[in-house]
Every structure is written in structure tokens, then in C-alpha cells.
Amino acid sequence: MKLIKLSFVLLLASSILFSQNPEWVSFTYGNDVYAIAFESNYVWVGTSGGLVRLDRTTGAMTFYNKLNSGLPDNRVYSIAIDGQGNKWIGTDGGGLAMFDGSRWIVYNTTNSGLPSNYVWSITIDGQGNKWIGTWGGGLAMFDDSRWIAYNTTNSGLPDNDVESIAIDKQGNKWIGTNGGGL
């Protein structure tokens, strides 16, 4: 079994904004870090070896992977946390997983309107809609009951490889693709 080592760096600023002597703290586990999300006292980290939950108070880490959880793939490319505390986790080939702290629900191309199982980006808008960027399938919007897919044939999306999504204060969606952005 190959030992996987992940590195990510956390910059802790002192109580003064823009401190001249910030403290850098490094945590290690796995090879690659693809996503980071914050939830109260926890940092959720998507890695090439699964999902890590870091308790910022104690430093304790909890590891989730295909063997010990409902995570459908160990390569976690994106994480978003909704208003109810549900973690939405995008994987490399396993689809999209929702984790509420105890149960896992997996959405993929066979049981949902997800256009691709390669989920590279996720963001949640002010109405709680999940915007999901996929590799090869374009963009999907999920409102917890229905799916709407956007791709090069039914929208102005320039490419079906969606790598990043951001929503500005006016609610505009900014989409970064392999073929440019919107």
C-alpha cells in the first residue's frame, strides 16, 4: 500500500490585520490538496487521498475515504457547505456526494441529472441552489429536487469542461472553463 502524503499550509494572522509577522502552520497528509472549505471550528480539505476534517481548536484530524465512509472516490476536487451544514463534495469520477455529518448521499450520472461524474467545482447561491462544474458535462444546477444542465449546445457556455464557479454580490455566476470564461 502506497503511503500518501498531503501538504497544506495555514496562515494564522495575529489579532492585527496585515500583521508584519504572520505565523505559518503546516499540516501534512496525502499528496495533493484540491479544495478547502470552512465550517465554524472545522476546516474541510479535499485531497488526492480523500477528505480530511481538521478541528482548528484541538488539531485533531478525521479522515474519510472510500473504505471508511460513503465517499464515492478518494480524489476530492471541490467542497461547498450549505446553510444547513451539509457538505457537498465533488470527486474525480465518483460524482457528487452530500454528507450531513452522519449520512452520505451520492449523486452520479445513473441516479440524477448530473451530466458527468467528474465534479471539479461547486458553489452555492443565496437561494441554496448548488452550481456544479463538471469535466466534459458542462454545468449543472441542483435545487434539492430538480436538475438543470447547461452545456455548449443549450447555453452560452464556451466549453463543457467547467473548472471554476464564483457568484458575485449581484448573483451573477462567473464560470471558468477549459475554453475560456463567462
Side-chain angles (χ1 to χ4, degrees):
M1 178 176 179
K2 181 181 173 187
L3 179 61
I4 298 176
K5 181 180 171 194
L6 152 86
S7 295
F8 64 98
V9 176
L10 173 64
L11 173 63
L12 298 175
S14 69
S15 61
I16 302 172
L17 192 60
F18 302 109
S19 171
Q20 295 201 357
N21 296 309
E23 179 183 346
W24 291 83
V25 179
S26 180
F27 300 91
T28 59
Y29 170 79
N31 280 335
D32 302 309
V33 172
Y34 299 116
I36 299 173
F38 298 95
E39 177 191 35
S40 62
N41 203 41
Y42 296 109
V43 179
W44 293 86
V45 183
T47 76
S48 58
L51 183 65
V52 179
R53 184 185 75 178
L54 170 67
D55 185 315
R56 293 193 282 182
T57 302
T58 67
M61 288 189 268
T62 305
F63 305 97
Y64 302 90
N65 59 42
K66 281 179 64 168
L67 296 177
N68 70 2
S69 73
L71 195 62
D73 190 274
N74 284 340
R75 198 172 290 268
V76 175
Y77 280 154
S78 53
I79 306 167
I81 302 172
D82 68 21
Q84 290 74 45
N86 298 316
K87 277 56 79 183
W88 294 86
I89 304 152
T91 68
D92 185 37
L96 175 69
M98 189 283 297
F99 179 52
D100 67 6
S102 60
R103 84 187 153 103
W104 294 82
I105 298 173
V106 175
Y107 301 93
N108 57 47
T109 58
T110 63
N111 68 3
S112 72
L114 192 65
S116 168
N117 287 329
Y118 297 88
V119 177
W120 283 33
S121 55
I122 306 167
T123 194
I124 301 171
D125 68 22
Q127 291 74 45
N129 298 316
K130 289 70 173 172
W131 292 87
I132 303 147
T134 70
W135 189 258
L139 180 69
M141 188 282 297
F142 180 51
D143 67 4
D144 294 329
S145 62
R146 67 186 171 102
W147 294 83
I148 299 173
Y150 301 93
N151 55 51
T152 57
T153 62
N154 69 358
S155 71
L157 203 61
D159 192 272
N160 287 329
D161 299 333
V162 176
E163 297 182 2
S164 61
I165 308 165
I167 301 174
D168 65 23
K169 290 180 181 180
Q170 291 75 35
N172 297 310
K173 283 76 177 172
W174 295 82
I175 314 298
T177 73
N178 199 36
L182 290 175

